[in-house]
Amino acid sequence: QVRLVESGGGSVQSGGSLTLSCRATRPTISSLFMAFFRQIPGKEREAVASIRPQNKGSYYSDFAKNRFTISRDDSKDAISLQMDGLTPNDTAMYYCAAGGSWLQPLTLSEYRYWGQGTQVTVSS
């Protein structure tokens, strides 16, 4: 069992930045794909970005490309999501997830472990 705890959410004005963090408790996440998903009220949860084990590449949904950057530090069992150029459309609950697969790195159903989420609110 992997437990994930997100932090770093909050409120920011349009155009601002936030960094989300996710820390895993035992056991180590180094062999797992890690990802951030988000859920806007009334909509399905969607992938934001994922990162391969051992930092061997990352994937982004179209809306996240060129604005968000996912990274991981396996020595700390942690990942981060740097979000720049935020807009009100980015307002959502953001979730950390572990699991994934090489064939479907951004598919929700491929992720077995989930955090409780952290709220991001962007005002215009």
Side-chain angles (χ1 to χ4, degrees):
Q1 187 76 11
V2 177
R3 291 185 60 202
L4 304 171
V5 179
E6 302 96 338
S7 62
S11 297
V12 66
Q13 290 191 330
S14 185
S17 299
L18 279 175
T19 300
L20 305 183
S21 298
C22 173
R23 187 76 182 265
T25 59
R26 296 154 45 199
T28 181
I29 59 169
S30 61
S31 64
L32 300 175
F33 275 79
M34 298 296 297
F36 280 96
F37 287 74
R38 71 182 188 182
Q39 189 162 21
I40 299 168
K43 296 189 177 182
E44 294 185 352
R45 194 171 297 188
E46 61 180 352
V48 178
S50 68
I51 188 165
R52 292 179 179 179
Q54 301 175 13
N55 263 318
K56 292 185 177 180
S58 55
Y59 306 84
Y60 295 89
S61 289
D62 286 345
F63 65 81
K65 291 177 181 177
N66 301 317
R67 295 193 302 135
F68 297 177
T69 303
I70 191 170
S71 60
R72 66 190 295 162
D73 184 347
D74 289 337
S75 68
K76 298 179 180 178
D77 287 329
I79 65 169
S80 295
L81 182 70
Q82 173 68 38
M83 303 186 293
D84 299 317
L86 287 163
T87 75
N89 290 334
D90 296 313
T91 295
M93 185 71 79
Y94 284 72
Y95 297 89
C96 177
S101 71
W102 290 91
L103 292 178
Q104 301 183 78
L106 291 175
T107 299
L108 184 149
S109 60
E110 295 292 324
Y111 286 84
R112 294 179 59 189
Y113 306 106
W114 293 86
Q116 294 300 307
T118 185
Q119 178 67 37
V120 171
T121 302
V122 185
S123 59
S124 58

